[in-house]
C-alpha cells in the first residue's frame, strides 16, 4: 500500500497532532501516523502553563478542550511534618499555577478539528519501521506496518514527533545527548478525598521531593523522586515503612492511600532523563518535542514545549512546501531561537531540582 502526502508526521501526541491540524488548515496534505490504537491512554505530563494555554487559545482550541474537561490549580502548597507552611496563589504569581488537562481530552479536541479537513489523514495502530531516502540522501518517506499490512508513505517532509525514544531520530541518525538527573520517579494515582482543593502540594521526604498533583475527574497524581537506579533494591524492602512516609507527609490522605496503594505494583516507575540534539533537522526530516529535546517532569514544560515547536514549525513548513524546499537549510531557520529557549528551560529544571530542598531549609 502506497500513500502520498506533503508531510508525514510520526507520533500523534500533542505536538504532532497540533502540527498536523495547523498544516492541514493551510491546505497542506498531512498523514499522521500513531503506533497506538487509541488516544485514551494514561499519561503523566498533562499540565498546561501560560504558554500552552495561549497557544491553544490562539488556534481556537482551548474552549473545545475546556468543554471536554480540565482543572485549574487554585494554589501551590509546601508541607513539612504533616502541616502546610506556605501557600502560593495565582494572584501572587500573575500566571496560572497549572491547568490539568487529561491528554486524551487535549488530543480528542485537536484531532476532532483536524479530521474535519480533507487534507488531513490519521492512521492509528501504525508503526514506522524505516525511513526512505533517494539517491541524493534526502529523506522522502517512511515504511510502516499497520496490523498485517506494509505501508509506504511518500512525502516531501517527515516530522519526528514520536517521543523520547524516537524511531525517526534513530533512523535519520540524528545524534542525541542524554543527561541523567540523578533521580527516577514513582507515579501513583488515587481518588481525591471529598473537599480536596485543586492544588499542587510539595513535601521533602528523606531529602527527596514528594509531590501531589490534583487531576480533573477527582484524582490525585503522586510523583515521588527516588535515587536513580535504586528501584530494584527498593522493591526488596518492606513496603509498609515506605508508604508510611507518604501518610506522615500528608496525613489527610491516610485512608485513601491505605485503600489504593497496597504494594509496589501500585506504582509506575519513570526513568528520568533529559536529552538534547545538536540539530533537529536533516534533509527532509525535522524533529519536535521530546524527540528533539526531552524534558524532565520538573516544571511540567514538556507538553507546552512540544506545542510551541508545532506552532513555530507550522509557519516555517508552509513556506518550505510553497518553495518546494524541505532541505536541511530551509528547516534550520527555526532552530536558533527555539534551541536557546530549550537550553534556558532545561537549565531552569536543573536549578529547580537542585534548589528544591532549600524551600524547606528553615523548617527542617
Amino acid at each position: 500500500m502506497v500513500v502520498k502526502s506533503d508531510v508525514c508526521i510520526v507520533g500523534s501526541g500533542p505536538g504532532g497532532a497540533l502540527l498536523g491540524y495547523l498544516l492541514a488548515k493551510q491546505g497542506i496534505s498531512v498523514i499522521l501516523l500513531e503506533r497506538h490504537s487509541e488516544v485514551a491512554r494514561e499519561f503523566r505530563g498533562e499540565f498546561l502553563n501560560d504558554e500552552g494555554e495561549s497557544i491553544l487559545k490562539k488556534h481556537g482550541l482551548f474552549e473545545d478542550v475546556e468543554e471536554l474537561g480540565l482543572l485549574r490549580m487554585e494554589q501551590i502548597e509546601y508541607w513539612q511534618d504533616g502541616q502546610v507552611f506556605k501557600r502560593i496563589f495565582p494572584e501572587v504569581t500573575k500566571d496560572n499555577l497549572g491547568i490539568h488537562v487529561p491528554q486524551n481530552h487535549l488530543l480528542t479536541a485537536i484531532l476532532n478539528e483536524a479530521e474535519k479537513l480533507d487534507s488531513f489523514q490519521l492512521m492509528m495502530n501504525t508503526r514506522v519501521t524505516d525511513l526512505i531516502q533517494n539517491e541524493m540522501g534526502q529523506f522522502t518517506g517512511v515504511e510502516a506496518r499497520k496490523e498485517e499490512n506494509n505501508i509506504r508513505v511518500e512525502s516531501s517532509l517527515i516530522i519526528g514527533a514520536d517521543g523520547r525514544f524516537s524511531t525517526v531520530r534513530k533512523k535519520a541518525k540524528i545524534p542525541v545527548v542524554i543527561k541523567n538527573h540523578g533521580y527516577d520517579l514513582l507515579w501513583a494515582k488515587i481518588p481525591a478525598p471529598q473537599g480536596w482543593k485543586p492544588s499542587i502540594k510539595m513535601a521533602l521526604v528523606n531529602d527527596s521531593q514528594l509531590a501531589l498533583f490534583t487531576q480533573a475527574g477527582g484524582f490525585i497524581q503522586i510523583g515521588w523522586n527516588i535515587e536513580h537506579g535504586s528501584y530494584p533494591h527498593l522493591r526488596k524492602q518492606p513496603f509498609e515503612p515506605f508508604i508510611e512516609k507518604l501518610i506522615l507527609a500528608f496525613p489527610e490522605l491516610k485512608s485513601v492511600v491505605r485503600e489504593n496503594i497496597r504494594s509496589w505494583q501500585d506504582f509506575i516507575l519513570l526513568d528520568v532523563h533529559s536529552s538534547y540534539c545538536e540539530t533537529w533537522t536533516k534533509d527532509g526530516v525535522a524533529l519536535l518535542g521530546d524527540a528533539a529535546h526531552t524534558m524532565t517532569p520538573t516544571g511540567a514544560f514538556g507538553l507546552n514545549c512540544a506545542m510551541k515547536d508545532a506552532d513555530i514549525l507550522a509557519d516555517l513548513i508552509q513556506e518550505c512546501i510553497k518553495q518546494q524546499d524541505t532541505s536541511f537549510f530551509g528547516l534550520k531557520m527555526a532552530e536558533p531561537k527555539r534551541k536557546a529557549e530549550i537550553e534556558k528551560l532545561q537549565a531552569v529544571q536543573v536549578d529547580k531540582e537542585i534548589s528544591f530542598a532549600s524551600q524547606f531549609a528553615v523548617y527542617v
Side-chain angles (χ1 to χ4, degrees):
M1 178 179 175
V2 178
V3 291
K4 297 183 179 183
S5 68
D6 292 323
V7 179
C8 174
I9 301 174
V10 182
S12 70
L18 179 61
L19 180 59
Y21 169 59
L22 297 181
L23 294 177
K25 270 181 67 177
Q26 297 167 355
I28 295 170
S29 63
V30 175
I31 291 179
L32 177 58
L33 307 181
E34 170 55 48
R35 65 186 180 91
H36 293 95
S37 58
E38 56 182 15
V39 299
R41 294 177 283 124
E42 187 77 11
F43 293 88
R44 258 62 69 183
E46 298 183 322
F47 273 78
L48 286 177
N49 59 23
D50 279 339
E51 192 164 59
E53 180 182 3
S54 296
I55 289 170
L56 290 176
K57 287 181 175 179
K58 171 184 175 181
H59 298 295
L61 293 166
F62 187 80
E63 288 186 0
D64 293 340
V65 178
E66 191 170 29
E67 187 173 334
L68 290 171
L70 51 76
L71 185 66
R72 289 184 179 273
M73 299 300 102
E74 296 178 4
Q75 57 194 36
I76 296 175
E77 299 178 352
Y78 290 85
W79 286 63
Q80 184 67 36
D81 297 325
Q83 300 288 329
V84 61
F85 67 83
K86 180 169 64 175
R87 288 188 174 95
I88 299 172
F89 298 97
E91 55 266 28
V92 175
T93 66
K94 307 302 181 184
D95 296 328
N96 77 51
L97 298 180
I99 305 173
H100 178 250
V101 180
Q103 192 148 305
N104 63 314
H105 291 182
L106 177 59
L107 293 178
T108 296
I110 297 171
L111 293 174
N112 280 350
E113 291 303 306
E115 290 185 310
K116 295 176 184 178
L117 305 169
D118 292 338
S119 50
F120 180 85
Q121 182 181 355
L122 173 64
M123 299 180 70
M124 302 293 290
N125 199 26
T126 304
R127 181 174 58 87
V128 170
T129 57
D130 208 350
L131 305 187
I132 303 167
Q133 287 180 278
N134 62 20
E135 63 278 3
M136 303 297 292
Q138 183 168 2
F139 292 96
T140 59
V142 305
E143 300 281 359
R145 183 85 173 165
K146 182 177 175 64
E147 297 173 349
E148 300 302 317
N149 300 313
N150 291 322
I151 299 172
R152 181 184 179 94
V153 180
E154 297 177 355
S155 62
S156 300
L157 178 61
I158 305 162
I159 301 293
D162 49 343
R164 58 169 57 191
F165 303 112
S166 172
T167 297
V168 172
R169 184 184 67 210
K170 180 180 178 181
K171 296 295 184 180
K173 297 182 179 179
I174 296 176
V176 60
V177 177
I178 305 293
K179 179 176 181 179
N180 187 311
H181 287 242
Y183 72 97
D184 295 327
L185 204 55
L186 291 180
W187 291 106
K189 186 175 179 179
I190 58 176
Q194 188 172 3
W196 187 271
K197 289 186 177 181
S199 57
I200 299 171
K201 301 178 189 286
M202 305 284 193
L204 188 66
V205 176
N206 293 346
D207 296 323
S208 293
Q209 177 176 321
L210 172 61
L212 308 180
F213 305 92
T214 312
Q215 294 186 313
F219 293 94
I220 297 169
Q221 187 178 73
I222 301 167
W224 197 336
N225 290 14
I226 61 172
E227 184 180 351
H228 177 67
S230 68
Y231 190 54
H233 174 73
L234 189 61
R235 280 184 61 114
K236 296 176 182 178
Q237 309 305 309
F239 183 69
E240 178 58 28
F242 181 79
I243 204 63
E244 184 67 22
K245 295 174 185 176
L246 170 59
I247 294 170
L248 290 174
F250 300 107
E252 60 190 315
L253 291 181
K254 180 176 180 178
S255 60
V256 72
V257 167
R258 292 292 187 200
E259 291 170 8
N260 294 275
I261 307 180
R262 299 179 178 178
S263 72
W264 296 113
Q265 283 72 28
D266 294 316
F267 283 103
I268 295 172
L269 176 68
L270 177 63
D271 178 11
V272 174
H273 68 260
S274 62
S275 71
Y276 186 81
C277 297
E278 285 300 325
T279 181
W280 301 352
T281 60
K282 273 196 170 182
D283 282 356
V285 171
L287 305 178
L288 68 76
D290 279 356
H293 46 74
T294 302
M295 314 296 283
T296 73
T298 301
F301 293 124
L303 163 64
N304 303 279
C305 287
M307 291 200 301
K308 185 163 186 182
D309 286 352
D311 186 41
I312 292 173
L313 273 173
D315 290 335
L316 178 61
I317 290 171
Q318 181 184 27
E319 188 61 28
C320 287
I321 296 293
K322 184 188 300 183
Q323 299 294 331
Q324 297 184 338
D325 177 16
T326 55
S327 68
F328 173 75
F329 298 104
L331 292 170
K332 281 189 75 67
M333 289 174 59
E335 275 194 26
K337 182 180 178 181
R338 286 297 292 139
K339 276 188 174 182
E341 291 176 353
I342 293 299
E343 287 177 357
K344 181 179 178 180
L345 288 177
Q346 289 185 331
V348 167
Q349 289 189 310
V350 171
D351 182 65
K352 284 179 176 288
E353 290 161 2
I354 292 173
S355 64
F356 180 77
S358 67
Q359 303 289 329
F360 302 82
V362 297
Y363 301 94
V364 177

